[in-house]
Amino acid sequence: MILWIQNLFARRPGWVLGGLVAAFLLTALGGAVAMFLLLNLDRVNARLAKIMNTPAAQEQSDQRDYAWSTQTSALLSFDMARVELGDMNQGVMGGGVEGYGDGLIYVSSIGVIGYLDVEAGELMYFDERVPMDYERVRNQVLFDKSQFQLRYFRVHDIMVKADPQGRDWLYVSHHMMPPGDDTICQAIHKIGLQQTENGIALDSAGWQHVYTVKPCFNMLDIGWRFIGDVSGGRMVPFGPTTFLYSVGSYMFAYNAGGVEQIRSDDTDLGKILEIDSQSNTASIYAKGFRNPQGLVRAADGTIWETEHGPMGGDEINLIERGEDYGWPMVTYGLNYGPSDWPFSDDQGRHEGYKKPVHAFPVSIAPSQLVEVAPGSEFERWSGDLLLGSLKAQSLFRLRMDQGRLVTMEQIEVAERMRDMTWLENGWLAVLTGNSSILLLRAASQNEQPHQAVRLTGYVAVKSLESELAANLRSGSYGRQLFAIHCATCHNLGSEPAPGPSLGGVVGTRIGRNAEYNYSAALQSADGRWTRAKLKAYLADPDGMYPGTSMPQTGMPLDDYSVRALVDYLATTDAPEDAAN
């Protein structure tokens, strides 16, 4: 009896509570009031549900409800619900999702593996982790490296693929750093996977190595400036035992000898590889890519790819075996600054190489692609490609015709969209940059649009969040901001870098380093950098010194963040050879 009441409470807490209240009143106050409550249980239930679904109540509850909202596009309306996954990223950018069974597999940017069972209404996480040894690498190796951007050592993508014997495998593309070594590698591992009565299970035999990208990166050689977000890392099934895998250029075009490494067929940089999962070998399928973030094989066999350009020049490409797409020799974008792209003889052109189907003159930061299959509940989108974006925070619907982009519709969703996958029930699931999943369904296909998505498992989620936060060193907020917004171009020491050293910058002369090509306004500026001047400069470089600009490295800094960054810079020391 007790177990029956517990189960009923989990499914209909309002009915149980209302019934208990009515039973009490029957005993204490008489039948009239109790009978009124029993006849109005729906109203009581609705009132209790409203109380229990407040943010404060949900924060302490194992159960959460996520309401649907309806959005309109050019051809159809769709419902969307935003589902929280818990903070399994700890400030790192990455991760992936893949539909499997009655829900989806989620792997966070730091290698935490979870399963969202949509049918059963449960969110769960496994003890198993991706073999990137994230906690050791972050706490013991990377934490005190001011140049290293912690958010870029990450998981890139996941894929589920069956072998010829019909056994399912979960593939994960990720960074790793071998113990006792100063090199970072981009690698792929896989683990056996199966559906069970309770959701899914991972093979107890553990992980198997599939492939390591060449070359690995010696951090001492590049001053710990690791551009891990220009890594590609997308996977898509191809043949019975093969899959396609994208590898980025890691901004090597700016390094001495970097152009040659990207162009060389002896490295995997800037390539799409065809990898055989049985022999663990790879061959070059196509080359000439900067940062390929989206990859899909359509039903007709066509392979589509999207990639980030430099400053503008994001691309949509139709991928053909053996073709060269030109990076870093050509781009429709510009160098950061902005300035001319240094390796192109004809700015804004793409001559001599395979051209993109479409290029965006203003960056949208495209991410993953999916195809809307025939028979989908999104009937009017049938055959279209859906493209997620990070910077534009929009879903782009692309209609192709014989390899040509015919129409493109931008649908704003106000979320950074990192990955997408279809669920077995026909819904589209989108992984956002805010540790959440957007669930999309066609509005006309659902008779109960107001029935919320109900999930359980959040007590365990909160516990895991606390465990991760306690185990991972985070450092000062200002130091994190320096790594995110400054370390790509600047360092704190005397090592060569694209921009001048910021070590001990507070109190030094403005434009102190004669080796750098400052704007005319900065070159002629008098005085020294004070905290107030640095804060004003970071808030508006061109307004303070006309003609001066800095590349955008993420979300704009608010006043609090600017102060925290300047306070951190004030604690650093100037290099010994720096002019004062």
Side-chain angles (χ1 to χ4, degrees), residues 498-539:
S501 172
L502 297 182
V505 64
V506 175
T508 61
R509 286 187 292 106
I510 298 173
R512 63 180 175 178
N513 195 325
E515 296 180 4
Y516 289 93
N517 185 25
Y518 295 105
S519 67
L522 272 174
Q523 288 178 357
S524 61
D526 293 326
R528 295 177 178 271
W529 285 115
T530 64
R531 289 176 185 250
K533 286 182 179 179
L534 280 170
K535 292 172 185 176
Y537 177 75
L538 290 171

Side-chain angles (χ1 to χ4, degrees), residues 385-458:
L385 298 177
L386 300 179
L387 167 62
S389 64
L390 296 163
K391 184 177 180 181
Q393 299 189 30
S394 297
L395 183 70
F396 291 82
R397 181 179 62 83
L398 314 175
R399 179 149 295 178
M400 302 295 187
D401 185 3
Q402 298 182 349
R404 187 170 60 93
L405 177 61
V406 179
T407 61
M408 177 168 58
E409 178 188 7
Q410 181 175 357
I411 305 167
E412 295 184 4
V413 296
E415 290 277 5
R416 290 171 62 84
M417 309 172 76
R418 185 162 297 280
D419 196 8
M420 295 189 289
T421 187
W422 290 107
L423 303 185
E424 194 173 77
N425 64 4
W427 297 354
L428 178 66
V430 180
L431 176 63
T432 77
N434 295 315
S435 300
S436 63
I437 292 286
L438 301 180
L439 296 175
L440 277 65
R441 64 183 188 184
S444 62
Q445 302 294 320
N446 295 278
E447 298 177 357
Q448 297 178 323
H450 302 297
Q451 185 174 344
V453 178
R454 174 165 292 179
L455 296 176
T456 62
Y458 284 96

Side-chain angles (χ1 to χ4, degrees), residues 210-248:
V210 177
Y211 188 74
T212 297
V213 168
K214 59 180 190 289
C216 293
F217 311 109
N218 188 299
M219 292 294 100
L220 298 180
D221 292 344
I222 58 177
W224 293 93
R225 286 186 298 277
F226 179 63
I227 318 300
D229 62 328
V230 189
S231 54
R234 194 68 71 180
M235 299 176 288
V236 62
F238 192 56
T241 64
T242 64
F243 60 94
L244 298 183
Y245 182 55
S246 71
V247 181

Side-chain angles (χ1 to χ4, degrees), residues 214-475:
K214 59 180 190 289
C216 293
F217 311 109
N218 188 299
M219 292 294 100
L220 298 180
D221 292 344
I222 58 177
W224 293 93
R225 286 186 298 277
F226 179 63
I227 318 300
D229 62 328
V230 189
S231 54
R234 194 68 71 180
M235 299 176 288
V236 62
F238 192 56
T241 64
T242 64
F243 60 94
L244 298 183
Y245 182 55
S246 71
V247 181
S249 66
Y250 282 88
M251 298 281 276
F252 262 51
Y254 294 97
N255 295 1
V259 172
E260 291 75 13
Q261 288 199 61
I262 297 171
R263 300 299 300 163
S264 172
D265 289 349
D266 293 331
T267 80
D268 296 332
L269 298 177
K271 313 293 194 304
I272 291 178
L273 305 175
E274 183 178 1
I275 297 179
D276 191 306
S277 59
Q278 303 297 300
S279 63
N280 294 348
T281 57
S283 59
I284 296 174
Y285 191 88
K287 63 187 290 186
F289 306 100
R290 181 180 182 271
N291 187 14
Q293 288 286 309
L295 197 63
V296 66
R297 189 183 188 202
D300 63 1
T302 304
I303 300 163
W304 296 98
E305 176 261 3
T306 62
E307 68 179 278
H308 296 186
M311 190 170 181
D314 295 346
E315 295 180 358
I316 301 171
N317 288 300
L318 193 163
I319 303 301
E320 297 179 356
R321 186 187 292 273
E323 287 287 356
D324 185 345
Y325 293 77
W327 180 262
M329 310 314 297
V330 291
T331 176
Y332 285 113
L334 294 171
N335 200 9
Y336 295 106
S339 61
D340 286 351
W341 183 246
F343 308 110
S344 178
D345 295 329
D346 195 359
Q347 297 297 314
R349 302 289 180 181
H350 211 283
E351 303 306 320
Y353 301 92
K354 183 73 172 179
K355 294 181 180 180
V357 171
H358 182 78
F360 296 86
V362 177
S363 293
I364 67 165
S367 54
Q368 179 60 314
L369 287 157
V370 295
E371 182 185 32
V372 182
S376 163
E377 64 177 59
F378 297 89
E379 182 179 357
R380 293 185 176 181
W381 290 355
S382 179
D384 291 346
L385 298 177
L386 300 179
L387 167 62
S389 64
L390 296 163
K391 184 177 180 181
Q393 299 189 30
S394 297
L395 183 70
F396 291 82
R397 181 179 62 83
L398 314 175
R399 179 149 295 178
M400 302 295 187
D401 185 3
Q402 298 182 349
R404 187 170 60 93
L405 177 61
V406 179
T407 61
M408 177 168 58
E409 178 188 7
Q410 181 175 357
I411 305 167
E412 295 184 4
V413 296
E415 290 277 5
R416 290 171 62 84
M417 309 172 76
R418 185 162 297 280
D419 196 8
M420 295 189 289
T421 187
W422 290 107
L423 303 185
E424 194 173 77
N425 64 4
W427 297 354
L428 178 66
V430 180
L431 176 63
T432 77
N434 295 315
S435 300
S436 63
I437 292 286
L438 301 180
L439 296 175
L440 277 65
R441 64 183 188 184
S444 62
Q445 302 294 320
N446 295 278
E447 298 177 357
Q448 297 178 323
H450 302 297
Q451 185 174 344
V453 178
R454 174 165 292 179
L455 296 176
T456 62
Y458 284 96
V459 169
V461 169
K462 295 297 293 183
S463 176
L464 182 54
E465 283 181 327
S466 300
E467 178 185 331
L468 292 173
N471 291 343
L472 297 175
R473 298 171 69 185
S474 59

